[in-house]
Amino acid sequence: MTDVRPDAQRQHRRVFIRTYGCQMNVYDSDRMADLLRSLGYRLAESVEHADLAVLNTCHIREHASEKVYSELGRLRDVKQERHEAGRDLTIAVAGCVAQAEGEEIVRRQPAVDIVVGPQAYHRLPELLAEAERKAALKRAGKRLPGAGVLDTDFPAESKFDHLPTPHGVRAGSAFLSIQEGCDKFCTFCVVPYTRGAEYSRPAVHVLAEARALVAAGAIELTLLGQNVNAYHGEGPDGSTWSLARLITALAGIEGLARLRYTTSHPRDMDDDLIAAHRDVPQLMPYLHLPVQSGSDRLLAAMNRRHGRDLFLGLVDRLRAARPDLALSSDFIVGFPGESDADFDATMQLVDRVGFASAFSFKYSRRPGTPGSALPDQISESVKSARLAALQSLLAEQARAFNQSKVGQIVPVLFAETGRKPGQIVGKTPWLQSVHLDGSPRLIGRIAEVRVTAGHTNSLAGELAGLMRAEEAA
Ligand code: 5AD
Ligand code: SF4
């Protein structure tokens, strides 16, 4: 193994990390930052101040992947300017585009030095050393057999065993990856190919990381996984723990006020997990449960392994367990073969459930997935019209949900300062953003807020009771 200890030269290097896509990528970017910090790197605010640029990429839809290539073009220009000034910029592509496209990235953009997949980034120190060696040979005028350093393995060892403990916590809230990969193979989705087979971290490791995060200031943890409710990690006693069991154990950590998990699959929503929404007060009353479509025919074509009735039954049981539960979901419109009647079934499902928030997308044809080879692809104009109709119904529901909180006093965890001077922004238990006037000293803390207005995407409020008096003092 290459010697990767920090040396004097590395002490002052800077890394700029840009993150695309999901919360899992945000978690991975933070872990890469921790790893690079242990090599003496510091974080740079922009690429102009960096020696190393890492793009942590997303491959879920075509638009997300293409953004990466335009950003790489910009980085190539910065690298070129640096060369003219006798300095260097190392460019690394990480994440799901790296995994899916591998060498193709270096072919399309030769300025890229490192391509590293989401399961191999714990090897970044070695990859950087190798990239530096190659750069030195190039500078010495040597011809190299291949450009770029590539690692898109799914290594037998888990990256989690090779990463340092998380460094810090931003504003009281932290992500914690507990599960990765997916074995479901929905016919539209690249995740089983880019993130690999389902893997659950052992419960003791999750608990240790959770304790470290709480010790570092987290009062809210969001458990992450591509299929987080399929979690089946090894428990301390050797038995297999479900997500419900893990959540119950995590709720015992003193100082941890809020727990969330995302993203779930309806098929893995078991009785114990539904009961946890009733029994664990720290588990927030919000659930993101993607359904994708309300048509049984389309759900079958998507290989979702369940029908509309299973989903609606879950909604009823979840609401019986936790009456104030806010539901969120993902929808795809224009999957191959989607008829007007199929789309209508989606609208009816939305109407019946009433979502607090949702994400909806036009179907994007992803190379290598079964959906991309299906006949009867839907035209762009039909997709756009359906998306607009769905989004207008979802926006109406979000607004109604937000307005239902007006007049209530709710606990808010403050996350950041707002765009307007004197404003701070936080989250309710139902994951709504609330904007109000208050001191930045509240960031990372929970305070009671009276909701004064409900809009489509956020709430407005004012500090209530004690906190308001303290602020005034
Ligand atoms: N096209 C459009 N949306 C997609 N998603 C996943 N794959 C595709 C695709 N090929 C959406 C799904 C998923 C969310 C993360 O992204 O709704 O739940
Ligand atoms: Fe993709 Fe389906 Fe797996 Fe979710 S469950 S990651 S949509 S294949």
Side-chain angles (χ1 to χ4, degrees):
M1 218 172 163
T2 328
D3 185 349
V4 290
R5 279 170 302 178
D7 54 34
Q9 229 196 349
R10 280 213 171 107
Q11 289 298 322
H12 302 295
R13 294 208 172 176
R14 286 184 183 270
V15 56
F16 170 70
I17 305 181
R18 169 155 287 166
T19 309
Y20 300 85
C22 65
Q23 289 144 326
M24 185 79 77
N25 268 13
V26 175
Y27 176 87
D28 287 341
S29 289
D30 283 349
R31 295 289 75 74
M32 283 191 261
D34 291 338
L35 192 61
L36 291 166
R37 211 177 268 116
S38 72
L39 296 183
Y41 279 87
R42 288 186 205 158
L43 287 186
E45 291 291 311
S46 74
V47 67
E48 279 68 30
H49 300 107
D51 308 284
L52 166 65
V54 179
L55 300 187
N56 194 11
T57 61
C58 172
H59 199 242
I60 197 94
R61 284 169 291 274
E62 192 180 354
H63 182 65
S65 302
E66 284 308 313
K67 271 201 284 197
V68 172
Y69 284 102
S70 57
E71 181 63 11
L72 283 176
R74 203 174 74 82
L75 292 182
R76 176 210 45 213
D77 295 346
V78 178
K79 190 179 175 101
Q80 212 132 32
E81 282 165 27
R82 291 280 175 88
H83 270 279
E84 283 156 21
R87 286 164 49 230
D88 203 5
L89 171 71
T90 304
I91 302 175
V93 179
C96 292
V97 176
Q99 190 63 45
E101 298 192 2
E103 244 169 314
E104 177 62 22
I105 296 176
V106 187
R107 224 170 288 134
R108 264 181 84 172
Q109 184 44 270
V112 171
D113 300 284
I114 296 170
V115 175
V116 58
Q119 306 308 345
Y121 68 78
H122 57 293
R123 296 176 177 165
L124 255 181
E126 289 98 309
L127 300 175
L128 275 168
E130 176 66 10
E132 274 178 27
R133 199 183 59 83
K134 278 198 169 179
L137 286 173
K138 246 195 214 161
R139 276 198 299 274
K142 297 269 190 317
R143 281 170 64 96
L144 299 175
V149 181
L150 199 77
D151 192 343
T152 51
D153 271 5
F154 287 115
E157 86 268 11
S158 160
K159 70 182 175 211
F160 294 109
D161 297 338
H162 297 263
L163 294 170
T165 8
H167 173 76
V169 167
R170 276 185 294 258
S173 187
F175 292 135
L176 202 177
S177 267
I178 65 166
Q179 180 281 332
E180 253 190 276
C182 182
D183 294 339
K184 296 259 183 330
F185 291 92
C186 300
T187 51
F188 51 80
C189 187
V190 287
V191 165
Y193 313 96
T194 58
R195 290 275 174 169
E198 222 175 86
Y199 166 78
S200 297
R201 293 176 71 187
V204 273
H205 294 186
V206 174
L207 287 162
E209 190 166 323
R211 283 193 203 97
L213 288 164
V214 172
I219 54 175
E220 173 180 81
L221 289 180
T222 303
L223 310 177
L224 298 180
Q226 262 95 29
N227 238 294
V228 74
N229 61 342
Y231 178 85
H232 56 282
E234 190 190 339
D237 53 356
S239 69
T240 301
W241 276 26
S242 65
L243 180 60
R245 182 118 192 241
L246 184 66
I247 285 173
T248 308
L250 286 165
I253 298 177
E254 199 172 327
L256 187 58
R258 292 182 167 195
L259 272 167
R260 304 179 182 278
Y261 61 93
T262 197
T263 287
S264 295
H265 192 290
R267 271 288 292 264
D268 297 312
M269 214 59 229
D270 63 23
D271 293 347
D272 289 350
L273 192 51
I274 294 173
H277 279 278
R278 181 191 61 212
D279 300 334
V280 180
Q282 292 90 335
L283 189 56
M284 290 292 100
Y286 173 93
L287 177 64
H288 182 66
L289 192 61
V291 64
Q292 318 294 357
S293 168
S295 151
D296 280 344
R297 208 175 67 82
L298 264 260
L299 286 168
M302 289 174 168
N303 192 32
R304 290 290 290 177
R305 303 156 192 249
H306 70 83
R308 164 188 170 277
D309 288 348
L310 180 132
F311 185 81
L312 293 176
L314 282 174
V315 169
D316 290 345
R317 285 160 60 209
L318 281 157
R319 283 183 167 152
R322 181 83 209 220
D324 69 337
L325 189 81
L327 279 163
S328 154
S329 198
D330 288 340
F331 296 90
I332 296 178
V333 299
F335 185 79
E338 186 186 63
S339 66
D340 284 341
D342 292 320
F343 177 64
D344 227 44
T346 299
M347 294 292 274
Q348 278 169 26
L349 179 137
V350 172
D351 213 35
R352 155 99 194 262
V353 173
F355 290 94
S357 68
F359 301 92
S360 43
F361 313 98
K362 290 188 215 173
Y363 171 68
S364 168
R365 221 167 159 169
R366 305 310 289 130
T369 58
S372 69
L374 287 175
D376 212 0
Q377 299 282 331
I378 306 295
S379 73
E380 224 14 64
S381 60
V382 170
K383 283 185 198 172
S384 297
R386 288 182 183 163
L387 188 68
L390 176 60
Q391 290 189 338
S392 118
L393 177 58
L394 289 167
E396 214 178 279
Q397 293 189 343
R399 197 180 172 82
F401 179 72
N402 288 341
Q403 286 187 341
S404 74
K405 301 290 176 202
V406 174
Q408 291 185 16
I409 293 184
V410 302
V412 171
L413 170 54
F414 289 98
E416 58 192 351
T417 51
R419 267 192 237 137
K420 295 192 190 134
Q423 195 181 51
I424 50 173
V425 188
K427 294 278 192 217
T428 69
W430 305 277
L431 213 61
Q432 300 148 292
S433 291
V434 193
H435 296 73
L436 51 89
D437 288 335
S439 158
R441 279 183 295 129
L442 286 173
I443 290 171
R445 294 166 62 191
I446 295 175
E448 299 283 303
V449 167
R450 185 189 320 279
V451 180
T452 53
H455 312 294
T456 306
N457 296 313
S458 65
L459 304 175
E462 58 190 22
L463 288 172
L466 253 187
M467 215 22 107
R468 198 185 166 123
E470 255 182 56
E471 277 280 294

